[in-house]
Amino acid sequence: MIFNPAALLQPDRGQPARLIHVVHPDQWESWLKAQPPRIRTTVAAHRLTGKAGNRAVLPGEGPDDWAMLLVCNESLDSPWRIASLGEQLPEGTYRLAEGEPGAAMLGWALAQHRFDRYRSDEVATGARVLLTGEPARIEETVRLAQAVASVRDLVNTAAADLGPAELEGEAEALAKTHGASVTVTKGDALVKGYPMIHAVGQAAAKGREPRLIELEWGNPAHPRIAIIGKGVCFDSGGLDIKPSSGMRLMKKDMGGAAHALALAGLVMAARLPVRLHLLIPAVENSIAGNAFRPGDVLRTRKGLTVENTNTDAEGRLVLGDAITRAAEETPTLILDFATLTGAARVALGPDLPATFANDDALAEALLAAGTAVYDPLWRMPLWDGYDDMLSSDIADMVNAPEGGLAGAVTAALFLRRFVPEGTPWAHFDTFAWRPSAKPGRPKGGEALGLRAAWAMLKARYPG
């Protein structure tokens, strides 16, 4: 089923619609006193107490007339305030009994998104349409819903159906939609120009060869921004092979690329006054006779050498070459997204992307944007004192220090070595996955940090 959020959010022109009463627990008593006897009787029959989560179908004046009650303690600007109803109500048209849905339109729409590519028994359900008296907010909400859904769909897709070539196809489709140009480097040109990307992906099977995908869009006179996404389409761990439990979800190791593609799409759809440079190093970290090995010394596009101490620390390698390429165009801002370290998940859990930045103003803008749009981030330190952990006896640095201490920090410090001095840069170590469902947010692939980054970019580069 094609996800079409534009069909789920419509301007309120007074058309027939069922009412949704959203009541805060603090307003419960006053709301209940104002209701007619039939409503109070129904509430009593359901033994509702005004506790958050209470809900009931309320009878109307006619036999076929009814409304929905939801007691909710989420704030008015939460996108998830009525998402549970977007999932559960029968098809039809709805409006809030009081106020406008506002940000909750996003959760309403995303609650109806389904990843059903592999389901043969999926039962089609009709649309639940939400009306709003703020039609100007619909277009932006639809774009955001489509962007989040695209991340979910890409991350949920099995690795057998989503390799480097398919990521290239996603970039080509995005370019065609928005009039952008795409350049792809692979084969001998990749070997010479991007040796770390090539090394990580060289063991992949035919048809899944490594490549660097670049998309450019916008007026060259506008500020240049680079958005980079880790595109490891499957991560076996290489010769430092992961256990089966660690490999189970490695189809999602291209979650950074999914975020980068979605963010680039938002930038182009809104026509931000920027010169966009999207870069996706797309590889599969496979095992074969020609796989790169622990102990190999890898050259980089920047000219540094890296002693490979762990083939399962491959994401930072491909990102290093991509960041170097982005830096060659002198961007005013670099953002990278990557499902980079388990250490970030241990420290912060699945909901909070570990966010590193070399610029305090950029970090503060990102954190504030994330809070404002309910897409929280948590800043982690680029602690200079750990930089010597990257020291190597035989090369300029190692990719993974021994011991695993401060793993998310040392990975970010590795990336920082490829960022030009003075260029604002932020790195999102995102999980791209939701291990358990919440209203409007099913278990599976998820956009975490995308909406925060987008809100920051809109404020930084107003149209």
Side-chain angles (χ1 to χ4, degrees):
M1 182 175 65
I2 297 175
F3 179 57
N4 181 18
L8 308 176
L9 306 169
Q10 297 294 318
D12 192 342
R13 300 186 176 93
Q15 59 266 55
R18 298 193 184 279
L19 293 180
I20 297 175
H21 297 268
V22 184
V23 182
H24 193 277
D26 293 345
Q27 301 169 333
W28 173 253
E29 294 298 336
S30 59
W31 177 84
L32 190 58
K33 287 179 182 178
Q35 301 309 306
R38 68 177 185 275
I39 301 299
R40 295 198 297 270
T41 299
T42 299
V43 166
H46 284 281
R47 298 182 180 180
L48 302 185
T49 62
K51 181 180 178 181
N54 282 176
R55 64 183 62 205
V57 174
L58 304 177
E61 295 182 356
D64 295 324
D65 187 18
W66 58 270
M68 188 69 201
L69 166 66
L70 173 66
V71 182
C72 177
N73 59 2
E74 294 211 38
S75 64
L76 293 176
D77 54 357
S78 169
W80 315 115
R81 189 161 62 109
I82 56 173
S84 61
L85 301 183
E87 291 178 351
Q88 298 166 3
L89 287 174
E91 65 179 282
T93 303
Y94 299 87
R95 68 164 56 88
L96 296 189
E98 294 184 7
E100 295 295 338
M105 290 191 292
L106 178 65
W108 178 276
L110 285 173
Q112 298 181 60
H113 171 253
R114 296 287 182 274
F115 180 72
D116 55 8
R117 175 171 179 170
Y118 302 111
R119 291 189 176 275
S120 58
D121 59 347
E122 188 73 12
V123 177
T125 57
R128 279 82 78 191
V129 178
L130 184 64
L131 302 180
T132 174
E134 299 175 316
R137 299 187 66 159
I138 293 177
E139 183 178 8
E140 169 74 358
T141 304
V142 166
R143 289 174 183 165
L144 275 175
Q146 289 172 328
V148 171
S150 72
V151 173
R152 293 177 178 179
D153 287 348
L154 287 172
V155 174
N156 284 327
T157 300
D161 297 319
L162 184 64
E166 285 73 26
L167 279 183
E168 180 183 332
E170 292 291 328
E172 291 280 7
L174 199 61
K176 184 177 180 180
T177 298
H178 298 288
S181 62
V182 172
T183 302
V184 180
T185 305
K186 53 186 175 181
D188 289 342
L190 191 75
V191 176
K192 296 175 183 177
Y194 303 92
M196 289 200 292
I197 298 175
H198 165 73
V200 172
Q202 66 188 12
K206 185 177 180 180
R208 301 180 72 86
E209 298 89 352
R211 64 204 70 195
L212 176 66
I213 305 160
E214 298 180 75
L215 177 150
E216 291 207 57
W217 171 90
N219 187 339
H222 288 158
R224 174 177 282 267
I225 65 170
I227 299 173
I228 305 170
K230 172 188 168 186
V232 178
C233 297
F234 188 80
D235 181 18
S236 69
L239 293 177
D240 289 309
I241 191 170
K242 293 178 183 287
S244 59
S245 59
M247 217 184 295
R248 167 68 178 83
L249 291 180
M250 282 302 100
K251 67 177 184 178
K252 77 172 186 67
D253 213 21
M254 40 57 64
H259 281 72
L261 283 161
L263 184 57
L266 286 168
V267 167
M268 292 187 287
R271 303 198 67 80
L272 287 195
V274 298
R275 177 65 172 177
L276 172 67
H277 190 189
L278 170 70
L279 304 97
I280 298 174
V283 301
E284 181 169 308
N285 189 16
S286 298
I287 300 172
N290 64 334
F292 76 128
R293 294 166 290 271
D296 284 353
V297 175
L298 309 177
R299 298 202 173 272
T300 72
R301 182 174 180 85
K302 188 173 182 178
L304 299 171
T305 56
V306 178
E307 180 187 0
N308 177 42
T309 50
N310 187 344
T311 63
D312 196 22
E314 84 298 331
R316 66 201 69 180
L317 299 176
V318 301
L319 287 172
D321 272 353
I323 291 172
T324 299
R325 170 69 189 109
E328 292 166 0
E329 303 297 335
T330 319
T332 62
L333 175 67
I334 299 175
L335 303 178
D336 80 71
F337 294 83
T339 52
L340 203 61
T341 67
R345 309 290 79 75
V346 172
L348 299 177
D351 290 350
L352 289 172
T355 305
F356 298 83
N358 64 354
D359 181 274
D360 288 341
L362 173 59
E364 290 167 6
L366 282 167
L367 294 178
T371 299
V373 300
Y374 288 74
D375 188 19
L377 307 172
W378 196 268
R379 190 180 186 186
M380 297 282 276
L382 287 165
W383 185 248
D384 291 333
Y386 293 157
D387 203 59
D388 61 359
M389 290 185 181
L390 295 172
S391 297
S392 167
D393 294 332
I394 62 172
D396 293 325
M397 57 180 163
V398 299
N399 64 327
E402 293 182 4
L405 296 176
V409 177
T410 55
L413 290 172
F414 179 93
L415 297 180
R416 187 177 68 172
R417 295 202 178 187
F418 299 90
V419 178
E421 188 73 28
T423 300
W425 159 69
H427 160 57
F428 300 79
D429 191 337
T430 184
F431 194 38
W433 191 263
R434 189 167 295 284
S436 57
K438 295 182 179 180
R441 293 152 286 178
K443 179 180 178 180
E446 184 61 293
L448 297 166
L450 169 68
R451 293 185 295 110
W454 171 236
M456 182 278 295
L457 287 176
K458 283 195 301 178
R460 191 180 182 102
Y461 304 103

